[in-house]
Amino acid sequence: MDPNDTKLLLEDTSKNTLEANIEPKTLEVLNKILNTLLSMNNRIAKIETEVEKIEDVKQQLSSVVQRMDQAEHNIAELQQHNKEMENSFEGMGQVVEKALEKCDLNRNDIEKIEENTMQEKSIIKELQETVLDLKCRSMKNNLVFNGLTYHPSEDCEAKLQNFINRQLGIEYMVTLGNVHRFGKYGRNGARPIVARFVYRKELEHVLKQAYRLKNTNFGINEQFPPEIEIRRRKLYPILKNEKSLGKQARLVRDKLYINGQLYNPENININPANNDREIINQRTPSTPQHREAANSPPIPPRSKRTRIKNIVIVGDFNARTSSLKDYVDDDINLQEILQIEEDVINDNTSSYSILKENNILQRFNEDTGRVNKYGTKLLDFCKRCNLFIANGRLFSDNGIGHTTCKDASMVDYLLLSPNSFNITTDFEIIGFNPMFSDVHNRVHFTMKIDNDNHQKNLTFNQKVDQHVRWRSDKANEFIQEINDDPNNSLNELNIMLNEMNENTQVNVDQINSLIDNLCKFLVNSATDVFSDKKIKGLKGHLN
């Protein structure tokens, strides 16, 4: 029943009770009961209200529980998804690590490729410079002649010979190789003529006479590859400016040398007035005005040196030289760069030519061991003094270079000046003989000298020991000479031996005396049998 209905029922009951004739005590009890019931009804009404609230809370809790279940389900799904994401991230991390490893490998490969590319570029540059150098060398003996008129039926070589004769004043016929026109049209509307000279000296003679072409329509210049010509064009104005200041300037290929120093654009600031190309490099005369401009004192003339044609040095140098060169190669470009004086160049060229003409430029040596410090000094001495080693070059030793010490090394040499080769008539390394040396072989050589000059220039104060060579065809005569013993030397030797046998103590002097007498006996016998009656020239030996 609804609490309100219960309340109305109790109120009606209370009203009916009052209207009924009931005893007061009973009425009082009934009223108390009714009041209690009313109070209980009110409480029940409140309880029902609270219960309704509890139901609402219960419903709300049920809804919350459902939501919690849904949330837990969602969380589980999120956890599963998160786990899947973590696995996916791990896989992606591995992929990234592999990608980074490949990147590192690619980076190393790229660095190697870049390094190889740089090396290849360097090699290509070196090859380009080498090819350029070969081009320059192939054009070394070429001259370009500008301004010679063209005719359809012309003979370039004949025209050039006529030009050299008339315009340059060279009367002899120069020896030319290929002669032809090439390139673009230049002076007089004609293409230049390039000519290859067989001999470098003739080319240099033509260049020296090029001053005759000044203020004419003709020109002469050395031929260079286009790359070198571009570099030279940048240096021509500087060359002219330096020469105008009285300095010695020389252009060698694409290098400019000023007073013997290589020109460096960073160290010299020159603004030439014009950029005209100078075709011929002419040496500026060393006039007093030029010397004053260059702030340099005049150079005194060199004193004439005394020249000795024939120099012969023989001995034990304790030097091992293997087969290294004892001369300086003839290099015209190096001589021009260093500005070596002409007489020095001529001396070196002449010496070099003598060996080359006689086909003895190459030196042979059986001793192929390491060159020692004395060998280096000896080779340097030969280069400085213009001397040459005869060993391994002359006569029976040519192409061999026999060893001279213990059959293992060459330390004994014959050194000759260039002219001395022409008067040397024999050279030989004679096998080891303990009668003449402890460990060295004999160096035998013969030189033919003019008797008149020999008497004028040389004075002998001592008798020269004459050594003889063994001749197998006179072996029997040598034995007979010993058996005959004309000087009774064998008897004296026997007496000395008997005395030594009788004595219990023999000293060193007695042994040396016996050996000396025996050697003298054998040498004298050999001299009487093997020596020639007529000796041409001067013979020398090294023991």
Side-chain angles (χ1 to χ4, degrees), residues 234-243 256 258 263 270 272:
K234 297 178 181 179
L235 297 174
Y236 283 133
I238 302 170
L239 175 70
K240 293 181 66 175
N241 187 75
E242 291 297 316
K243 283 189 174 183
L256 177 60
I258 301 174
Y263 166 73
I270 298 177

Side-chain angles (χ1 to χ4, degrees), residues 316-330:
D316 175 13
F317 293 87
N318 197 24
R320 301 184 68 176
T321 60
S322 186
S323 56
L324 297 183
K325 294 180 180 179
D326 54 354
Y327 59 87
V328 179
D329 288 317
D330 188 18

Side-chain angles (χ1 to χ4, degrees), residues 182-197:
F182 79 108
K184 299 179 180 179
Y185 292 91
R187 299 183 182 183
N188 296 339
R191 294 190 301 166
I193 295 178
V194 60
R196 182 173 185 83
F197 284 72

Side-chain angles (χ1 to χ4, degrees), residues 278-334:
E278 178 174 300
I279 296 179
I280 301 300
N281 297 330
Q282 299 178 5
R283 180 174 293 179
T284 304
S286 181
T287 61
Q289 293 82 1
H290 288 158
R291 286 196 294 268
E292 291 177 2
N295 295 324
S296 60
I299 301 174
R302 294 187 305 108
S303 59
K304 293 184 178 180
R305 295 177 295 177
T306 303
R307 300 180 183 273
I308 302 175
K309 292 184 177 181
N310 297 319
I311 300 176
V312 179
I313 302 176
V314 62
D316 175 13
F317 293 87
N318 197 24
R320 301 184 68 176
T321 60
S322 186
S323 56
L324 297 183
K325 294 180 180 179
D326 54 354
Y327 59 87
V328 179
D329 288 317
D330 188 18
D331 192 334
I332 296 177
N333 292 329
L334 181 61

Side-chain angles (χ1 to χ4, degrees), residues 39-55:
S39 176
M40 290 178 63
N41 185 45
N42 291 332
R43 290 181 179 178
I44 290 171
K46 290 181 180 180
I47 290 171
E48 288 179 352
T49 302
E50 294 297 330
V51 169
E52 289 178 357
K53 290 181 180 179
I54 290 172
E55 289 293 334

Side-chain angles (χ1 to χ4, degrees), residues 235 239 242-243 247-253 255-261 263 281 283 333 335-339:
L235 297 174
L239 175 70
E242 291 297 316
K243 283 189 174 183
K247 297 181 181 179
Q248 290 186 354
R250 180 183 293 272
L251 192 58
V252 180
R253 284 194 186 176
K255 302 291 188 300
L256 177 60
Y257 293 88
I258 301 174
N259 291 335
Q261 299 294 326
Y263 166 73
N281 297 330
R283 180 174 293 179
N333 292 329
Q335 294 165 0
E336 291 179 353
I337 293 172
L338 299 179
Q339 296 184 352

